[in-house]
Amino acid sequence: MSEEKYLTFALGKGRLADKTLQLMEQIGITCSEIQSKDTRKLIFVNEDLKLKFFLAKGPDVPTYVEYGAADIGVVGKDTLLEEERRAYEVLDLKFGNCKMCVCGPHDAKELLNHHEMIRVATKYPVIAKDYFYNKKHQTVNIIKLNGSVELGPIVGLSDVIVDIVETGSTLKANGLEILEEICPLSARMIVNQVSMQMESKRINEIISKLKAVIN
Ligand code: PRP
């Protein structure tokens, strides 16, 4: 019997996990259990390949990986930047493409140009702070929200927002626009730093196979 240890994957619940599993299937890694939509189970095992998969809230994925509860994680670049956890970012999976932007009503552009002391609503205070303080050298008041951030400028909570833009339809529907682009985003694979040393052969094999499929 093989003494091989399980390699554990933490996947951000939802679309990201679905896309990741589709990609894994292309390199021969399947987990039939996880695909049954109505299950409430959170952890799934592939005994033949000695793999485990679990579904976590996106922002928790880097935490599981930093502490070694998962060897590998798949999560959006936005979450990696916001959570600032220790892990190796090994691969851009090239899906979930979108961008982090400063958005607001057209008139707010002037406030940004003149480095006014403005209010910025966001789910991403770390990213917003880094952008305004370290890159733009603009002092702002950052207000943390947990979703539907576009409400900020509409109801008078903030002048602008820092948020993800994918198709732009949420902005358009709410009379807002992109004022500045902060950075491009996509799904990334991350690896625990110890696992990368201890399980380098298996992990590098997965990375090379994925690279071949992605490119
Ligand atoms: C995200 C993001 C924007 C929207 C962007 O919100 O925060 O609101 O999607 O997508 P679009 O450019 O294609 O319209 P999400 O759906 O995750 O919900 P949330 O507002 O609760 O964070």
Side-chain angles (χ1 to χ4, degrees):
M1 206 179 94
S2 164
E3 290 299 311
E4 214 173 14
K5 154 188 182 303
Y6 284 96
L7 265 190
T8 302
F9 287 75
L11 307 179
K13 265 186 202 171
R15 252 187 309 173
L16 219 56
D18 295 344
K19 289 251 186 187
T20 306
L21 292 169
Q22 282 169 20
L23 196 61
M24 292 292 179
E25 256 188 69
Q26 292 184 53
I27 63 161
I29 294 179
T30 50
C31 195
S32 49
E33 267 189 316
I34 209 169
Q35 261 125 11
S36 80
K37 291 277 177 234
D38 26 274
T39 181
R40 296 290 293 165
K41 236 174 115 169
L42 293 172
I43 185 148
F44 307 91
V45 184
N46 180 324
E47 287 295 349
D48 299 333
L49 300 174
K50 285 276 179 266
L51 299 174
K52 284 185 188 171
F53 297 88
F54 66 78
L55 300 176
K57 283 269 185 195
D60 295 337
V61 168
T63 311
Y64 287 108
V65 174
E66 177 180 310
Y67 285 93
D71 302 289
I72 298 174
V74 174
V75 71
K77 179 71 179 174
D78 50 310
T79 303
L80 288 183
L81 293 171
E82 187 61 27
E83 296 299 319
E84 299 183 298
R85 291 287 178 180
R86 259 193 309 261
Y88 294 128
E89 186 186 321
V90 295
L91 197 56
D92 182 345
L93 297 172
K94 308 260 175 78
F95 59 76
N97 295 310
C98 48
K99 52 196 175 187
M100 188 64 73
C101 299
V102 181
C103 310
H106 184 75
D107 294 352
K109 184 82 188 155
E110 281 299 295
L111 303 172
L112 291 169
N113 290 345
H114 296 122
H115 282 55
E116 302 267 353
M117 172 73 186
I118 52 171
R119 290 201 283 189
V120 181
T122 186
K123 261 187 357 184
Y124 301 93
V126 172
I127 295 174
K129 204 166 161 187
D130 178 62
Y131 179 70
F132 280 103
Y133 285 66
N134 302 332
K135 302 209 169 73
K136 287 201 71 187
H137 307 290
Q138 178 173 0
T139 307
V140 296
N141 184 357
I142 292 166
I143 303 168
K144 165 90 200 276
L145 288 179
N146 294 297
S148 302
V149 175
E150 289 83 0
L151 278 173
I154 299 171
V155 301
L157 175 71
S158 69
D159 299 290
V160 297
I161 60 172
V162 164
D163 201 19
I164 291 173
V165 179
E166 191 180 354
T167 60
S169 51
T170 311
L171 289 179
K172 200 168 169 211
N174 291 290
L176 306 175
E177 61 186 65
I178 295 175
L179 302 171
E180 289 175 358
E181 291 191 12
I182 300 178
C183 62
L185 303 168
S186 58
R188 306 295 160 98
M189 177 169 279
I190 57 171
V191 177
N192 170 267
Q193 294 184 339
V194 176
S195 307
M196 198 68 217
Q197 314 302 321
M198 305 298 285
E199 295 290 335
S200 62
K201 189 166 173 286
R202 291 174 80 194
I203 294 176
N204 280 317
E205 205 176 293
I206 293 172
I207 295 171
S208 334
K209 284 184 183 167
L210 285 173
K211 268 188 190 159
V213 170
I214 294 163
N215 298 322

